[in-house]
Amino acid sequence: MFKVLKVDHVGIAVKNMAEAKRFYTEVLGLTVQGEEVVEPQKVKVCFIPCGDSELELLESTTPDGPVAKFIDKNGEGIQHMALRVDNLQAALAELKAKEIRLIDEVPRYGAGGASIAFVHPKAAGGILLELSERQ
Ligand code: ZN
């Protein structure tokens, strides 16, 4: 049995990370944490802590990456929401047993050293839902 602990972060697709960062830092007064390229997902990310949760800015590293495709289709904006769980393996096993449609059946590497897996939007009310576990 797994437990959802909190909203871990909201993932926001942007065309230009430097420009997007300026809004969050200069206008909203938040602080950006280290940038990281997650090569398998063709994305550059940075995290902006926001109380107990974070914002995750996502900029595609290639024109054919998933974030670039998202922006082509929807424009910039919220791309996914992430919930933190206490045990990702258990969560995936349980969702699978309930025949919930998953994008990732096994955990993969997420930015910041998290283990993550995506649930299909069709199973989550139209939201691309990321489950994440951090040690
Ligand atoms: Zn994320």
Side-chain angles (χ1 to χ4, degrees):
M1 192 64 195
F2 72 99
K3 227 169 124 181
V4 174
L5 303 174
K6 65 172 190 170
V7 174
D8 190 78
H9 64 269
V10 175
I12 301 167
V14 301
K15 285 183 185 163
N16 182 324
M17 183 173 287
E19 210 172 275
K21 270 181 182 173
R22 267 201 300 279
F23 171 74
Y24 291 101
T25 56
E26 291 173 18
V27 180
L28 297 184
L30 296 167
T31 304
V32 176
Q33 282 184 350
E35 255 175 49
E36 179 180 348
V37 172
V38 183
E39 204 41 65
Q41 290 160 46
K42 298 177 178 172
V43 74
K44 181 167 82 177
V45 308
C46 71
F47 283 95
I48 304 172
C50 204
D52 198 33
S53 299
E54 294 179 312
L55 303 174
E56 178 185 37
L57 302 184
L58 307 145
E59 181 192 282
S60 192
T61 56
T62 63
D64 64 337
V67 169
K69 284 183 188 155
F70 173 88
I71 290 175
D72 285 345
K73 211 172 142 196
N74 308 287
E76 294 179 290
I78 293 179
Q79 194 250 359
H80 67 272
M81 183 178 70
L83 297 177
R84 182 163 324 172
V85 296
D86 61 347
N87 185 333
L88 184 57
Q89 294 275 9
L92 292 176
E94 210 170 310
L95 294 178
K96 229 172 135 179
K98 290 180 176 159
E99 298 186 341
I100 302 296
R101 191 163 159 198
L102 302 173
I103 292 173
D104 301 301
E105 301 211 334
V106 292
R108 58 166 139 143
Y109 176 83
S115 287
I116 67 167
F118 284 98
V119 178
H120 199 281
K122 289 219 159 86
I127 293 170
L128 177 58
L129 180 65
E130 174 185 331
L131 300 177
S132 90
E133 179 186 344
R134 281 176 208 260
Q135 296 312 324

